[in-house]
């Protein structure tokens, strides 16, 4: 998933496995705490993300 974009997407109960997530755009995305914690643990830039 190189250079994928989830800009302004709503992500609920999502886990990205076996993916390089550091270059994915999550700007303006809304996500639940489970998804946020998974991405945060993978050192993904989550600035501009809203928790739902």
């Amino acid at each position: 998933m190189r250079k994928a974009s989830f800009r302004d997407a709503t992500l609920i109960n999502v886990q990205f496995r076996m993916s390089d997530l550091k270059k994915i755009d999550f700007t303006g995305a809304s996500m639940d705490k489970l998804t946020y914690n998974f991405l945060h643990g993978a050192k993904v830039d989550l600035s501009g993300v809203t928790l739902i």
Side-chain angles (χ1 to χ4, degrees), residues 7-34:
R7 183 177 283 255
D8 299 322
T10 300
L11 303 170
I12 299 173
N13 201 21
V14 177
Q15 293 183 13
F16 298 92
R17 296 185 187 259
M18 308 292 285
S19 300
D20 181 12
L21 303 172
K22 293 183 181 179
K23 295 183 181 179
I24 296 177
D25 181 13
F26 289 102
T27 306
S30 300
M31 60 184 68
D32 64 342
K33 289 182 183 180
L34 177 71

Side-chain angles (χ1 to χ4, degrees), residues 33-50:
K33 289 182 183 180
L34 177 71
T35 304
Y36 181 89
N37 289 335
F38 179 81
L39 294 172
H40 183 70
K43 308 274 190 234
V44 174
D45 177 17
L46 297 173
S47 56
V49 168
T50 303

